[in-house]
Amino acid sequence: MSLRPTLETRRAQPTMEGAGVHLHRAFGFSDPEELDPFLMLDDFRNDHPAMYQAGFPWHPHRGIETITYVLSGTVEHSDSLGNTGLLGAGDVQWMTAGSGILHQEMPKGNLNGQMHGFQLWANLPGALKMTAPRYQDVAGKEIPEVIDDDGTRVRIVIGSFWGRTGPVDGIAADPQFLDITVPAGVTKTFKVDTYRRAFAYIFEGEGAFADASRPSGVLLEKEVMGEEVNIRDMSGNRTLVRFGTGDEVKVQAGPRGLRFLLISGAPIQEPVAWHGPIVMNTQAELRQAMKELRNGTFIKPAH
């Protein structure tokens, strides 16, 4: 087994999207090769309805798939295929934009006004960018959760892990999307396919990921010395951890425990031409999409 090195640890950056939704962007709109096949991860979390209730009114997508995972509150969805739905706490939505879709997503808080969810953009390979749009809602009760002897909990949103398989399938990037909770002080190792790009996103508590690229790294050295990892050495809320190659990641949870997304996918390794909600392979394809948006031919008839 080989431990994945930590290439980078960075905080999600506050930004605004839609009609004025305040959120934090873990990555996106910079280097599309960095976490290929993933393009963007947004953490939309707020306790104040005025900061999110304007939502994401009607807007287009082409050439990507979106995975929306809700932890609290609800998100109401409508699209040009005629689909409507309401995502609640624990639910997930997968949408293949393919050749083109128009949709809107309108968040609402829970009884306390709290809203929290994530949206991940996965790229489509060139051969599938103009595929027919598709949409799938999955209720939280259908997502398997496995609890290990040490109290570690893993919700398997997409992919297979610890002998269980998540309910969302058919995504071109074939991702693994796990929601992991590690109890306070527990050190845990998780297997990740060697040939996939992988990252973690911490959203509760804190923890330290072992770093094989630095033998004197915090976690590994202090484990050998039998010491506790100092809380100052740990990464906390809204932190992205980007990993290099290897087949497992190792983390020690801090005194408040740790909850994070662990996401991996097979890189597409194709050129990316990207403008807002449209991601193609060439600038010519991008210009064509914009032209179709202007002349009303963006949405393709169903075959």
Side-chain angles (χ1 to χ4, degrees), residues 31-45:
D31 180 2
E33 295 182 7
E34 183 179 76
L35 283 165
D36 179 19
F38 306 113
L39 298 165
M40 190 177 76
L41 176 66
D42 280 347
D43 177 351
F44 51 97
R45 179 188 344 180

Side-chain angles (χ1 to χ4, degrees), residues 48-68:
H48 307 289
M51 306 289 274
Y52 61 76
Q53 62 188 3
F56 306 91
W58 290 95
H59 58 279
H61 284 292
R62 176 178 285 181
I64 64 169
E65 299 186 274
T66 65
I67 300 99
T68 306

Side-chain angles (χ1 to χ4, degrees), residues 13-30:
Q13 296 301 305
T15 187
M16 192 182 299
E17 286 291 354
V21 177
H22 294 253
L23 50 83
H24 282 73
R25 180 155 293 151
F27 64 89
F29 293 100
S30 55

Side-chain angles (χ1 to χ4, degrees), residues 26-227:
F27 64 89
F29 293 100
S30 55
D31 180 2
E33 295 182 7
E34 183 179 76
L35 283 165
D36 179 19
F38 306 113
L39 298 165
M40 190 177 76
L41 176 66
D42 280 347
D43 177 351
F44 51 97
R45 179 188 344 180
N46 214 294
D47 296 339
H48 307 289
M51 306 289 274
Y52 61 76
Q53 62 188 3
F56 306 91
W58 290 95
H59 58 279
H61 284 292
R62 176 178 285 181
I64 64 169
E65 299 186 274
T66 65
I67 300 99
T68 306
Y69 179 43
V70 176
L71 295 181
S72 60
T74 60
V75 176
E76 186 176 355
H77 167 92
S78 306
D79 64 36
S80 52
L81 299 176
N83 296 307
T84 59
L86 190 68
L87 291 175
D91 297 349
V92 64
Q93 178 202 93
W94 155 49
M95 185 190 74
T96 301
S99 62
I101 198 168
L102 296 171
H103 78 157
Q104 68 171 357
E105 299 154 301
M106 306 304 288
K108 295 181 181 178
N110 59 19
L111 293 176
N112 297 317
Q114 296 164 329
M115 177 71 224
H116 190 192
F118 303 98
Q119 187 168 91
L120 176 70
W121 288 16
N123 200 6
L124 280 169
L128 295 176
K129 283 196 177 291
M130 296 300 288
T131 193
R134 290 176 292 167
Y135 163 91
Q136 179 181 342
D137 269 348
V138 176
K141 63 184 179 182
E142 298 178 31
I143 298 174
E145 181 175 80
V146 182
I147 305 175
D148 208 2
D149 294 341
D150 59 12
T152 298
R153 309 169 73 97
V154 180
R155 293 194 85 215
I156 305 158
V157 179
I158 306 171
S160 297
F161 191 75
W162 285 354
R164 302 289 297 278
T165 299
V168 180
D169 60 11
I171 299 177
D174 189 25
Q176 185 181 62
F177 187 124
L178 308 175
D179 175 356
I180 298 175
T181 303
V182 182
V186 170
T187 299
K188 200 72 177 173
T189 301
F190 302 94
K191 294 186 183 304
V192 181
D193 189 293
T194 307
Y195 301 102
R196 292 167 174 258
R197 297 271 171 81
F199 68 89
Y201 182 72
I202 300 169
F203 61 94
E204 284 182 18
E206 62 283 309
F209 284 89
D211 189 348
S213 66
R214 296 195 306 270
S216 59
V218 169
L219 182 59
L220 291 182
E221 180 180 327
K222 293 189 176 181
E223 277 187 333
V224 170
M225 295 172 64
E227 299 178 8

